[in-house]
Amino acid sequence: MHVASILHVVLASFVLWVVPLQYAFFADLVAFPVALFVLVRDIITSWYASAIARDLRRELVPENTANEDREASSSAVAAESSGVRKRKTAGARRGSDGPDPTVSAAVNASSAANARISDISGVSKSKLILLVVQIVLFAMVLDFVYRPLVFPGDDLLIFRPGFVAHDSARLHIRYADEGKLELRYRPLVTRTGGSAGWNTAKAANVPWESAGLFDPPTNLTDYTKTVDLAKLQPATKYVVELHNLAPTLHAKSVLLGSVEFTTSPVPGQPARLRFGTGSCIKPNFPYRPGTPDIYGFSSILEHSDTLHMFMFLGDFIYADVPLYFGTDTEDYRRLYRQVYMAPSTRRLLRKLPMLHVYDDHEIKNNWHSKDSPPMGSAMAAYAEYNGQPNPPPPTPDVAYYNFTYGDIAFYAWDTRRYRTLWEEKGTEGNEGKSMLGAKQKEHFTQWLRDVNHTAAVKFVVSSVPVTTAWSNHDSSQDTWRGYPTERAEILHLTKHVPNLFFLSGDRHEMAAVQLPSGNIEFSTSPVSQFTFPFIGQFVRDSNGESTLHYRRPGHVKYGILDVDTQSDRKIPKITYSLFTTDVDKGRTPAWVYEAKGASWR
């Protein structure tokens, strides 16, 4: 096998099933044409040599030689039938006369030609098989890389729940057609009163209510729109339908889709919350021929009936992996549509509200350049598809936000837009470097004061890890390890806040770490992306931290947290469960940790 062919097989396999690196893809773009040229050249040469060999055979093995062979065979049969003495006589005669040199030469030439043709045919077959393998591999690489351009999803329909409060819900819609739209809703469960719980039977006799008519979204927002559904009851399960009121021959309206969700308890009330957490997805990785899917979402689907929501911690798209298509907003929109087109995404988000923060790959790898291009284009697409359905931010121009679920409080950081530039002078010692920026940090600090003794459990969401355990060059700049002064300032504040936990992703690995402040961080990724099975620089129990658990392997990893503030009003229960398809196909936890709750009043 030629070097170029081997290189192409290695590079294509690396992109499709190991790590979809841009440089590996570019290298394969060079390796494949070279391998193709060499293989085609050798196959043509083999065919040409085979034709010459056939001509030589015809010249060296004439027709009369074949006739002599047939006559000799007939004589031998006659001699055999005449008895032992004739066979001996014939044998003696042949021994005295000796073989015919002309016949021997012709037979030898024929055997050599046949062997040569056989060798040439064998080489040609093996190279033809190799050629097919090379072409199929390259076709799969092109499908994996360029599918967003070939199948852009212009007609994609999205109808999913975003943030669900105790009395309202945000519904995210993408609809690229005409006609007035209407939301119709009704409760699926009804309260029986007191501590008796809930009646989970479908309330088929409850009439539908209309949330009013509205115009379809326009191409200015890539046909996306977020609609708020108000006047809902707390802790109630609802079904909502989206209708197009354009009449048809058979109906006055067309049902476009339906979703289900459960509203949260009244703020401040004890609650039981079960939610998922994780980051990093790439459609159809590892690659499988056919309709692309997101295998992590398929696994989460098996738990979705018991989940109230999912906190997605960034890298929902990979704008630069394995190829950066451009800086236009449409280049980013196509990638979001690819994710929402996946079958498992559509099934999962029909009944599971998903909230988002963004990270670097929604823009470009290790983004730290504030509002420089292409930040504007990237954030426009993010807002249309993932940002608008989130809880309302403090001001419309920011992406960080906070919300509550009963007496459980959440704060989601924006860890990209406000970073101090790495190249900025005077920050060599890190004293002046900031990840949050002054405005966001002030807002977060006030939130800590507000929830310190009003929320039983608090979660701080960071797209990048707070722990310093990841110590390679990339993490030393990109994670909180590269911002030690501000990190120490934040941990000094959270040290005095009971039952506060950090949630993060980004590293394509999982770690549970007790930070120097005593707070615990659960860093979980990837939900459905590559991982490095053999290399990594995670340092356990360093810099005043204590590693509770660490796991590197697994293309699918996500966490599920169970929070119970009802059983004991003073000391809540918090349980983290790690799921990976490497263990029981994600049906049962690979690791479980029960955090020690503290009195918070």
Side-chain angles (χ1 to χ4, degrees):
M1 189 183 292
H2 296 282
V3 173
S5 297
I6 296 174
L7 186 60
H8 166 55
V9 170
V10 171
L11 289 171
S13 301
F14 192 82
V15 170
L16 293 172
W17 297 296
V18 183
V19 181
L21 291 179
Q22 190 175 79
Y23 297 121
F25 170 64
F26 288 158
D28 193 43
L29 290 180
V30 176
F32 173 72
V34 175
L36 184 66
F37 170 78
V38 173
L39 279 172
V40 172
R41 181 201 65 186
D42 288 352
I43 290 171
I44 293 175
T45 302
S46 298
W47 284 340
Y48 182 68
S50 177
I52 294 175
R54 287 194 298 269
D55 292 341
L56 287 173
R57 181 179 179 181
R58 284 194 295 269
E59 292 176 3
L60 295 174
V61 188
E63 182 68 24
N64 60 350
T65 303
N67 293 335
E68 291 177 2
D69 291 341
R70 288 194 292 271
E71 291 175 3
S73 177
S74 299
S75 298
V77 172
E80 181 69 24
S81 64
S82 65
V84 175
R85 185 168 55 183
K86 289 184 178 182
R87 285 200 300 272
K88 290 182 179 180
T89 303
R93 184 166 56 250
R94 285 194 299 271
S96 61
D97 294 342
D100 187 341
T102 303
V103 175
S104 299
V107 172
N108 292 337
S110 176
S111 299
N114 286 332
R116 186 178 179 187
I117 292 170
S118 178
D119 291 342
I120 291 172
S121 299
V123 172
S124 299
K125 289 178 181 178
S126 65
K127 289 185 177 179
L128 282 171
I129 293 173
L130 180 59
L131 177 63
V132 171
V133 171
Q134 300 276 315
I135 293 174
V136 169
L137 269 177
F138 193 66
M140 290 193 294
V141 170
L142 293 181
D143 175 55
F144 177 64
V145 175
Y146 290 104
R147 179 169 281 268
L149 294 179
V150 179
F151 302 99
D154 293 331
D155 298 329
L156 173 66
L157 171 67
I158 300 175
F159 183 46
R160 70 175 184 93
F163 171 61
V164 179
H166 69 287
D167 59 354
S168 64
R170 313 199 93 174
L171 298 168
H172 180 223
I173 300 168
R174 185 184 191 273
Y175 183 63
D177 208 339
E178 299 177 348
K180 287 284 187 179
L181 301 180
E182 180 187 25
L183 291 177
R184 300 174 186 173
Y185 65 98
R186 67 180 181 184
L188 275 181
V189 296
T190 54
R191 194 168 189 174
T192 59
S195 59
W198 299 84
N199 175 16
T200 58
K202 287 192 175 183
N205 58 338
V206 177
W208 290 96
E209 296 186 50
S210 173
L213 308 184
F214 57 94
D215 293 325
T218 68
N219 61 354
L220 295 178
T221 58
D222 198 28
Y223 303 101
T224 64
K225 192 169 193 173
T226 297
V227 179
D228 288 327
L229 187 62
K231 298 181 180 179
L232 304 180
Q233 297 298 314
T236 303
K237 189 170 185 179
Y238 285 90
V239 59
V240 184
E241 294 183 347
L242 176 65
H243 288 259
N244 185 334
L245 296 187
T248 66
L249 292 176
H250 306 286
K252 295 181 180 180
S253 65
V254 177
L255 175 63
L256 301 177
S258 65
V259 298
E260 297 176 6
F261 57 81
T262 301
T263 52
S264 64
V266 173
Q269 293 296 310
R272 285 190 176 96
L273 171 64
R274 180 174 170 87
F275 70 99
T277 177
S279 74
C280 308
I281 55 173
K282 177 71 178 174
N284 207 23
F285 187 86
Y287 180 84
R288 300 177 192 174
T291 302
D293 206 355
I294 298 174
Y295 311 119
F297 283 175
S298 297
S299 179
I300 296 170
L301 261 169
E302 298 191 20
H303 308 279
S304 59
D305 288 339
T306 62
L307 294 175
H308 294 95
M309 66 174 185
F310 195 96
M311 285 295 311
F312 200 92
L313 309 180
D315 292 343
F316 189 78
I317 65 169
Y318 275 72
D320 54 345
V321 174
L323 182 64
Y324 186 63
F325 288 106
T327 61
D328 292 341
T329 304
E330 177 59 24
D331 294 320
Y332 289 94
R333 287 167 170 168
R334 276 196 304 267
L335 299 177
Y336 283 100
R337 295 198 295 267
Q338 288 296 304
V339 175
Y340 283 106
M341 285 168 62
S344 60
T345 307
R346 299 168 73 89
R347 295 195 303 270
L348 179 66
L349 299 188
R350 178 185 173 273
K351 55 183 179 180
L352 182 64
M354 184 172 285
L355 307 183
H356 293 267
V357 297
Y358 71 94
D359 200 26
D360 54 337
H361 289 288
E362 276 90 349
I363 313 160
K364 289 184 76 173
N365 186 43
N366 290 350
W367 183 258
H368 64 283
S369 300
K370 298 187 176 181
D371 287 331
S372 301
M375 182 69 166
S377 299
M379 286 298 95
Y382 169 77
E384 291 166 356
Y385 281 92
N386 287 353
Q388 289 296 329
N390 279 338
T395 58
D397 60 333
V398 301
Y400 53 88
Y401 58 86
N402 61 280
F403 67 96
T404 60
Y405 185 98
D407 60 351
I408 305 166
F410 289 81
Y411 195 103
W413 281 336
D414 181 343
T415 65
R416 289 292 167 186
R417 185 180 180 185
Y418 309 104
R419 292 184 177 218
T420 303
L421 298 179
W422 295 346
E423 303 85 358
E424 189 170 319
K425 293 183 179 180
T427 63
E428 292 82 357
N430 295 307
E431 289 82 3
K433 292 179 67 174
S434 174
M435 185 181 289
L436 300 182
K439 182 179 178 181
Q440 181 179 193
K441 185 160 57 177
E442 180 182 359
H443 186 267
F444 171 69
T445 302
Q446 183 59 51
W447 174 83
L448 281 178
R449 297 191 188 101
D450 294 340
V451 302
N452 192 3
H453 296 293
T454 60
V457 182
K458 305 89 175 170
F459 291 100
V460 178
V461 177
S462 174
S463 66
V464 294
V466 179
T467 174
T468 60
W470 280 286
S471 59
N472 60 353
H473 175 73
D474 173 79
S475 59
S476 295
Q477 288 186 316
D478 196 54
T479 73
W480 278 97
R481 183 184 178 92
Y483 299 79
T485 302
E486 187 172 62
R487 174 180 178 272
E489 179 184 349
I490 289 172
L491 293 184
H492 177 72
L493 295 174
T494 61
K495 180 179 181 180
H496 305 286
V497 181
N499 305 318
L500 185 143
F501 300 84
F502 290 95
L503 305 176
S504 65
D506 179 65
R507 292 288 92 188
H508 295 217
E509 299 174 3
M510 181 273 164
V513 178
Q514 186 172 39
L515 303 170
S517 60
N519 307 112
I520 294 175
E521 176 180 17
F522 299 107
S523 186
T524 317
S525 63
V527 170
S528 195
Q529 241 294 27
F530 69 87
T531 188
F532 292 105
F534 302 114
I535 59 175
Q537 291 180 307
F538 184 89
V539 181
R540 298 172 180 266
D541 304 325
S542 60
N543 301 321
E545 299 179 350
S546 176
T547 303
L548 305 175
H549 187 73
Y550 170 68
R551 185 182 185 91
R552 182 185 300 134
H555 289 107
V556 172
K557 296 191 288 288
Y558 54 92
I560 292 180
L561 288 111
D562 290 278
V563 185
D564 179 7
T565 66
Q566 288 183 344
S567 299
D568 188 333
R569 296 294 303 274
K570 294 182 179 180
I571 301 179
K573 297 178 180 178
I574 305 96
T575 304
Y576 172 91
S577 300
L578 170 66
F579 290 85
T580 172
T581 50
D582 290 353
V583 177
D584 193 25
K585 298 182 179 180
R587 298 187 185 96
T588 58
W591 180 72
V592 177
Y593 178 77
E594 294 185 5
K596 185 178 180 181
S599 179
W600 57 279
R601 289 186 179 275

